[in-house]
């Protein structure tokens, strides 16, 4: 039976010795969800993707390294803020886990750790030295992989057992926890040459291949559901339309991963398998990149339509960054494997798109933070009744 709580006294009730002061100390982080890690992912990929561009542009690597350093700072700040969120607002943190729209974003924590860790070896070593870069990447890769594998199992489990999924509510955010192991697969090969020769190197390489399989098959099961919902259920709500770009994540990241396997396999695995990785990188990467370009055009058309219909900035705009960045690194991997100039041109074109998207998202996010709009709680719908405190017996 549900009964309404007694009416409140005109005088304020005494503050709880635990919850009340905690909320007053850090009210800004109460609504800081795991989706904020997308800022770190999007910033880190701008740096690491820039390092894959063909040719030599004076000063570009230094700029990319500075962008990676910014992503490292953002990661540290967000980890601290999210720790405060869990410490002082556990009710809200649990609500995120039990919300089918918010829970998939826990995959972003893994990908943020992995993106910054991979950037340490790709770019950060220029500033902090190779030994320190290896140490940073080892810590972040290990933590990111553990979190990513846990999210890949826990979030679908919660969606099946605890969440109440409405028919036709499938969306691209469902891919977020499933893509995290693919990011581990693409970043892990960077650490392979820094391990002792022999079994340690081969073990890590094949572990990355296994995580490639985990993410690939989970994505292949989920993509038809998302595509089917888009065709039969109509366009996504305006605010969620940018999330269509999330589909590019597993496509670009898997193409990047197979390219990394081909790069490090010689001397790590037996010759026939090393050659097989190189063949697979082309036979897999070319058609997948073709599908990615088709989806990019489809998603862009939906975004243009939503923008004309009045779509305003929200944190979903960060979907324009990391997924496009994975396509940059994927195109760069195909350029290395095939030697075709067309992939060099595609890499540059996608990187220009990435930088433009990141600049817009970063500026709009900074404005939202300064105004307080992005950290404010959800507003009740106009005319909605005021919430009533109730208890269940």
């Amino acid at each position: 039976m549900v009964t309404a709580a007694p009416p409140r006294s005109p005088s304020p009730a005494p503050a709880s010795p635990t919850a009340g002061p905690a909320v007053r100390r850090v009210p800004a982080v109460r609504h800081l969800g795991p989706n904020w890690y997308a800022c770190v992912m999007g910033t880190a990929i701008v740096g690491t993707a820039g390092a894959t561009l063909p040719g030599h542009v004076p000063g570009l690597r230094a700029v990319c390294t500075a962008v990676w350093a910014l992503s490292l700072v953002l990661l540290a700040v967000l980890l601290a803020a999210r720790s405060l969120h869990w410490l002082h607002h556990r009710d809200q943190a649990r609500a995120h886990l039990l919300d089918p729209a918010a829970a998939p974003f826990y995959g972003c924590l893994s990908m943020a750790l992995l993106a910054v860790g991979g950037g340490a070896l790709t770019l950060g070593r220029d500033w902090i030295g190779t030994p320190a870069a290896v140490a940073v990447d080892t810590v972040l890769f290990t933590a990111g992989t553990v979190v990513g594998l846990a999210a890949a199992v826990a979030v679908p489990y919660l969606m099946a057992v605890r969440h109440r999924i409405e028919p036709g509510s499938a969306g691209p955010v469902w891919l977020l926890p499933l893509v995290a192991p693919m990011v581990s697969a693409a970043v892990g090969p960077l650490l392979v040459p820094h391990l002792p020769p022999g079994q340690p190197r081969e073990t890590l390489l094949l572990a990355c291949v296994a995580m490639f399989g985990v993410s690939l098959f989970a994505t292949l099961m989920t993509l038809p559901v998302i595509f089917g919902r888009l065709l039969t259920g109509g366009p996504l709500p305006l605010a969620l339309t940018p999330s269509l770009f999330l589909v590019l994540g597993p496509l670009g990241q898997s193409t990047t991963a197979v390219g990394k396997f081909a790069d490090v396999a010689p001397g790590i695995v037996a010759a026939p398998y090393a050659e097989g990785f190189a063949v697979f990188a082309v036979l897999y990467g070319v058609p997948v990149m073709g599908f990615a370009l088709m989806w990019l055009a489809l998603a862009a058309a939906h975004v243009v339509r939503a923008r004309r219909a009045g779509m305003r900035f929200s944190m979903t705009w960060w979907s324009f960054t990391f997924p496009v960045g994975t396509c940059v690194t994927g195109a760069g991997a195909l350029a290395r494997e095939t030697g075709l100039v067309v992939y060099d041109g595609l890499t540059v074109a996608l990187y220009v798109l990435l930088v433009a998207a990141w600049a817009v998202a970063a500026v709009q996010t900074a404005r939202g933070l300064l105004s307080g709009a992005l950290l404010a709680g959800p507003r009740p719908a106009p005319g909605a009744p005021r919430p009533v405190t109730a208890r269940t017996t």
Side-chain angles (χ1 to χ4, degrees):
M1 181 178 66
V2 179
T3 59
R8 296 181 179 177
S9 170
S11 59
S16 168
T18 55
V23 173
R24 287 197 296 270
R25 283 199 298 268
V26 283
V29 302
R30 176 164 178 77
H31 300 286
L32 186 74
N35 59 317
W36 278 82
Y37 287 111
C39 302
V40 179
M41 298 159 52
T43 302
I45 199 71
V46 170
T48 53
T52 67
L53 295 179
H56 174 71
V57 179
L60 176 61
R61 186 172 178 86
V63 172
C64 290
T65 306
V67 173
W68 167 81
L70 174 61
S71 72
L72 179 62
V73 173
L74 290 175
L75 177 63
V77 171
L78 268 176
L79 288 174
R82 286 285 296 165
S83 297
L84 291 174
H85 174 84
W86 271 95
L87 181 63
H88 297 299
H89 303 287
R90 293 181 184 176
D91 62 324
Q92 189 72 6
R94 292 192 186 99
H96 287 159
L97 279 173
L98 297 178
D99 183 355
F105 286 97
Y106 273 90
C108 292
L109 168 58
S110 167
M111 290 185 280
L113 295 168
L114 293 165
V116 175
L121 270 179
T122 305
L123 294 165
R125 58 188 173 89
D126 294 352
W127 288 8
I128 64 177
T130 299
V134 171
V136 170
D137 191 20
T138 300
V139 172
L140 295 181
F141 172 76
T142 302
T145 299
V146 171
V147 171
L149 291 174
V153 175
V155 173
Y157 173 81
L158 288 174
M159 294 176 69
V161 175
R162 298 295 300 274
H163 298 167
R164 294 296 175 262
I165 308 296
E166 295 295 330
S169 63
V173 295
W174 288 12
L175 292 171
L176 288 173
L178 308 179
V179 178
M182 188 67 78
V183 181
S184 291
V187 171
L190 295 173
L191 284 170
V192 169
H194 300 281
L195 291 177
Q199 294 235 355
R201 292 184 179 182
E202 185 173 358
T203 299
L204 178 56
L205 176 59
L206 294 186
C208 291
V209 176
M211 288 187 286
F212 169 87
V214 168
S215 182
L216 176 64
F217 288 106
T219 299
L220 289 176
M221 290 188 294
T222 307
L223 269 181
V225 180
I226 297 171
F227 194 39
R229 180 258 175 263
L230 190 63
L231 294 181
T232 61
L236 296 178
L238 295 183
L240 296 180
T241 302
S243 67
L244 288 171
F245 275 70
L246 294 176
V247 175
L248 297 175
L251 304 176
Q253 198 65 273
S254 61
T255 304
T256 303
V258 295
K260 294 290 186 183
F261 299 158
D263 291 342
V264 303
I268 306 299
V269 295
Y273 300 110
E275 295 173 1
F277 276 120
V279 173
F280 183 62
V282 175
L283 294 183
Y284 174 88
V286 171
V288 170
M289 185 56 62
F291 179 69
L293 293 177
M294 183 277 288
W295 191 273
L296 175 61
L298 176 65
H302 276 264
V303 168
V304 170
R305 171 195 169 276
R307 187 63 173 163
R308 290 177 175 175
M311 180 185 73
R312 295 189 175 186
F313 173 77
S314 66
M315 290 299 292
T316 57
W317 283 34
W318 283 96
S319 302
F320 298 141
T321 57
F322 189 79
V324 174
T326 66
C327 291
V328 175
T329 55
L334 287 175
R336 291 194 308 273
E337 296 300 324
T338 64
L340 295 177
V341 177
V342 66
Y343 284 115
D344 286 331
L346 179 61
T347 303
V348 174
L350 290 173
Y351 188 72
V352 171
L353 177 62
L354 168 64
V355 172
W358 177 82
V360 172
V363 169
Q364 293 293 335
T365 301
R367 287 178 179 175
L369 284 173
L370 292 175
S371 68
L374 288 180
L375 292 177
R379 297 179 180 178
R386 297 182 65 181
V388 177
T389 306
R391 63 184 177 86
T392 305
T393 57

